[in-house]
């Protein structure tokens, strides 16, 4: 079965640490991004999420990252897959919402 607890790394060099998945599927940890368009120095940022505790081990999950170094928030959704070699792989999609100064600028706030 998929176990999100531990360190994960993506293709761009960003890392996240999931500290513990509770009996109800909730978890927390830190995200260490390797990429940013923010002007401030990158800092590890808290993440909070939840996963389905599926018996087949290929769980879906989601989590939110509140970036400590910028006025933005990201949400990730994904699924854990166990390969034939036993290695677990996460496939995710994400949205990033940046703060904008006015409602007319709302169109450019999410990517």
């Amino acid at each position: 079965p998929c176990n999100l607890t531990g360190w994960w790394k993506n293709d761009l060099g960003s890392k996240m640490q999931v500290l513990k998945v509770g009996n109800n599927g909730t978890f927390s940890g830190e995200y260490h991004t390797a990429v940013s368009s923010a002007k401030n120095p990158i800092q590890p940022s808290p993440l909070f999420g939840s996963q389905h505790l599926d018996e087949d081990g290929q769980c879906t999950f989601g989590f939110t990252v509140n970036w400590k170094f910028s006025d933005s928030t990201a949400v990730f959704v994904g699924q854990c897959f166990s390969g034939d070699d036993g290695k677990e792989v996460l496939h995710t999609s994400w949205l990033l919402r940046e703060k904008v100064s006015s409602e007319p600028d709302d169109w450019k706030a999410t990517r």
Side-chain angles (χ1 to χ4, degrees):
C2 181
N3 182 357
L4 293 179
T5 303
W7 283 96
W8 297 88
K9 183 177 178 182
N10 72 13
D11 297 340
L12 299 175
S14 297
K15 296 183 274 186
M16 76 168 181
Q17 181 182 28
V18 175
L19 299 174
K20 179 184 176 186
V21 177
N23 292 337
N24 62 356
T26 60
F27 60 89
S28 63
E30 277 193 332
Y31 200 96
H32 302 246
T33 187
V35 295
S36 172
S37 62
K39 295 175 183 168
N40 296 329
I42 292 174
Q43 297 179 40
S45 298
L47 68 84
F48 299 94
S50 182
Q51 79 168 76
H52 279 273
L53 300 173
D54 299 340
E55 290 183 20
D56 69 1
Q58 308 217 70
C59 67
T60 59
F61 59 89
F63 61 91
T64 302
V65 179
N66 184 9
W67 303 112
K68 291 175 75 174
F69 57 92
S70 72
D71 289 335
S72 61
T73 302
V75 292
F76 294 76
V77 293
Q79 184 172 349
C80 181
F81 295 95
S82 295
D84 292 336
D85 60 359
K87 185 177 179 183
E88 294 174 341
V89 176
L90 306 182
H91 285 261
T92 61
S93 297
W94 56 270
L95 289 172
L96 176 75
R97 176 65 188 218
E98 295 180 301
K99 180 180 172 181
V100 291
S101 59
S102 65
E103 186 177 0
D105 289 333
D106 183 64
W107 68 271
K108 64 180 179 179
T110 302
R111 45 180 167 150

